[in-house]
Amino acid sequence: MNLLKLDITNMKHDYSEKLFREAQQIIPGGVNSPVRAFRGVGGTPFFTQRATGPRLWDVDGNEYIDYVGSWGPMILGHAHPKVIQAVLDAARNGTSFGTPNPLEIRLAKLVCEAYPSIQKVRFVNSGTEATMSAIRLARGFTKRDKIVKFDGCYHGHADSLLVKAGSGAATFDVPDSAGVPADFARNTLTLTLNDVAGLKRVNWSEIACAIIEPVPGNMGLIPLKLAFLQALRQVTRDVGALLILDEVMCGFRVAKGGAQELYGVTGDLTTLGKIIGGGLPVGAFGGRTDIMDLLAPNGPVYQAGTLSGNPLAMAAGIATLEELFQPGHYKTLEERSAALCYGLKKIVPGYHARVGSKFCVFFTDVPVVDYATAKTCDTKKYGRYFHAMMENGVYLAPSQFEVGFMSLAHTEADIEATLRAAREAVKTL
Ligand SMILES: *Cc1c(COP(=O)(O)O)cnc(C)c1O
């Protein structure tokens, strides 16, 4: 098999370019999610024809080893036979019922077993819905309005969470997007990651909840200091504010029980997405029974979804988690990710970070510990690296501020090929 077309120096992208021109006529920016447009690295995005295992093929026939994995869900690799079979089997029985279906209980049990802090869980259709609903629930439970988030953490695109990263001090911040009323943003206070002393800057007695990515991966990868996470847990518990651990990206990825297993810190509420749907649209939020039972129809906090608990999506999630939980799989992921990052560290100059199978290299000389230090990166240089890797058959995230994802389908040969590509790529920097 042709593992990697290292001899290609001038990939053709004619068909992708034609499609992108066409898409831009009828879809804003030509994409249905902004980062896909390659604005962070320049150039034209490729259109994918198909994907299996660790590989993508674009419509011009170019082949890539893929470390984006649909932005996280594809931890088994693309088109895993068990996932495909589960979706086909489910589809034959009908694609949506609008009634309860047995698959919802099976996926809920898998989630609750992996996450002891989740006593009850509700499924939604995206990570955005999960965080939005968890925050409404936290406000309903505490009868408080204000929430705390951390600079540079992304929690989906709900209004109250699209608030600009502040300059360090807690501020009543301005919206990060046009169309978000300033009144909404006023209830969102931002603090700095990894700054224990900074936690004192808000009046916690008026806070409904703090939401945080326990393995921040939306400004590149910035591991939290354990002492910081523990301090946040303590301060929220002391004042009766809820802690929402947003594990949409790190859930089921950094460990079977996510960051909560890795760090031994539990959330009152947890949000999940990405891997839990195995490539179909699923999100979830869950936590303590006394909180979750405030949701309609049991309680006064409204939340609903026409397609929530969709049988195809549940089937894909169940197949993905059951396969992922097979003995040895997390160890394999850890070993392959360690091997790749060890190799990359020797080849690519920059600040390297990894937690489990999430990794990234920041093109900067300073240690990256928060949003401010992440922003010291040379994004132009990252763009050159990204394109050189693509030319050498490796697809990385098209932005300095995203992370790479290893899958169980990546072999040692794929890692070798990736390191060969990196050796070529750094020559162009
Ligand atoms: C991706 C992501 C979201 C949003 O999920 P969508 O399915 O894109 O709406 C929320 N939180 C975190 C931590 C994420 O990585």
Side-chain angles (χ1 to χ4, degrees):
M1 191 170 69
N2 179 8
L3 275 180
L4 188 65
K5 295 166 181 168
L6 272 176
D7 49 333
I8 290 183
T9 51
N10 269 310
M11 279 183 175
K12 289 273 178 287
H13 296 289
D14 298 352
Y15 193 25
S16 277
E17 277 160 14
K18 178 179 174 295
L19 289 176
F20 194 51
R21 280 194 298 276
E22 203 177 320
Q24 283 172 298
Q25 301 300 313
I26 45 169
I27 299 171
V31 291
N32 284 305
S33 195
V35 191
R36 296 181 196 169
F38 278 23
R39 297 279 167 91
V41 289
T44 306
F46 63 82
F47 281 62
T48 301
Q49 184 74 49
R50 65 190 178 91
T52 55
R55 289 190 168 62
L56 293 175
W57 285 266
D58 69 19
V59 291
D60 289 284
N62 302 304
E63 175 180 330
Y64 309 96
I65 299 177
D66 176 26
Y67 289 102
V68 181
S70 189
W71 303 94
M74 312 316 296
I75 195 162
L76 303 180
H78 294 281
H80 190 283
K82 287 188 180 161
V83 178
I84 300 302
Q85 192 59 51
V87 173
L88 290 173
D89 290 347
R92 270 186 212 101
N93 289 329
T95 55
S96 182
F97 313 129
T99 72
N101 74 77
L103 297 173
E104 294 168 296
I105 303 172
R106 278 181 59 196
L107 188 57
K109 281 186 177 162
L110 286 165
V111 171
C112 293
E113 276 161 27
Y115 278 83
S117 72
I118 302 181
Q119 293 170 335
K120 284 193 177 176
V121 61
R122 180 162 281 176
F123 294 113
V124 292
N125 306 291
S126 68
T128 294
E129 269 185 80
T131 58
M132 185 183 81
S133 306
I135 281 171
R136 183 181 306 141
L137 182 55
R139 284 173 163 155
F141 180 80
T142 58
K143 302 194 169 63
R144 302 171 185 171
D145 289 340
K146 291 187 167 49
I147 65 170
V148 164
K149 78 177 281 290
F150 293 85
D151 288 359
C153 283
Y154 178 68
H155 304 292
H157 61 87
D159 283 345
S160 60
L161 291 167
L162 273 186
V163 172
K164 194 165 254 163
S167 59
T171 48
F172 294 96
D173 231 321
V174 294
D176 213 13
S177 161
V180 177
D183 282 350
F184 283 39
R186 217 160 273 146
N187 280 322
T188 303
L189 283 65
T190 61
L191 294 174
T192 305
L193 281 179
N194 282 327
D195 178 8
V196 175
L199 292 175
K200 296 211 181 74
R201 293 200 182 109
V202 297
N203 174 9
W204 284 95
S205 67
E206 57 176 20
I207 303 295
C209 64
I211 184 167
I212 192 166
E213 291 179 71
V215 185
N218 282 290
M219 53 191 140
L221 176 63
I222 301 182
L224 289 187
K225 294 180 186 126
L226 181 59
F228 170 77
L229 195 55
Q230 287 170 335
L232 177 63
R233 175 65 280 187
Q234 193 59 48
V235 72
T236 45
R237 187 173 281 141
D238 287 349
V239 297
L242 300 186
L243 178 59
I244 302 176
L245 294 179
D246 181 0
E247 298 219 35
V248 169
M249 184 192 282
C250 63
F252 305 112
R253 178 162 284 282
V254 298
K256 179 177 174 182
Q260 307 188 35
E261 178 184 321
L262 195 67
Y263 296 129
V265 172
T266 54
D268 301 298
L269 292 173
T270 300
T271 52
L272 295 163
K274 298 190 171 119
I275 289 174
I276 201 179
L280 272 80
V282 184
F285 63 107
R288 276 167 29 209
T289 297
D290 61 321
I291 305 170
M292 291 301 287
D293 275 343
L294 284 188
L295 283 174
N298 285 359
V301 178
Y302 195 70
Q303 190 280 328
T306 300
L307 294 176
S308 294
N310 173 269
L312 270 61
M314 296 294 105
I318 293 164
T320 297
L321 294 187
E322 283 180 343
E323 179 62 19
L324 181 59
F325 294 169
Q326 293 300 309
H329 275 171
Y330 280 100
K331 187 164 169 280
T332 303
L333 273 173
E334 172 66 25
E335 284 166 3
R336 302 247 166 94
S337 309
L340 175 68
C341 292
Y342 178 78
L344 286 176
K345 211 168 175 169
K346 289 195 289 189
I347 298 166
V348 186
Y351 186 75
H352 290 252
R354 179 179 75 85
V355 177
S357 52
K358 284 169 77 165
F359 61 92
C360 96
V361 51
F362 292 101
F363 283 80
T364 179
D365 301 328
V366 304
V368 175
V369 294
D370 55 20
Y371 194 34
T373 42
K375 283 195 290 194
T376 65
C377 287
D378 184 343
T379 54
K380 293 245 157 48
K381 194 169 172 187
Y382 180 82
R384 292 197 295 278
Y385 174 66
F386 166 84
H387 282 290
M389 287 297 272
M390 231 181 88
E391 282 284 305
N392 285 283
V394 176
Y395 180 51
L396 301 171
S399 163
Q400 167 73 87
F401 302 111
E402 303 286 349
V403 299
F405 298 104
M406 177 65 77
S407 83
L408 280 166
H410 289 83
T411 63
E412 279 167 30
D414 294 323
I415 293 169
E416 281 308 310
T418 304
L419 296 177
R420 277 202 301 280
R423 275 183 216 104
E424 292 303 313
V426 292
K427 289 181 195 161
T428 68
L429 297 180

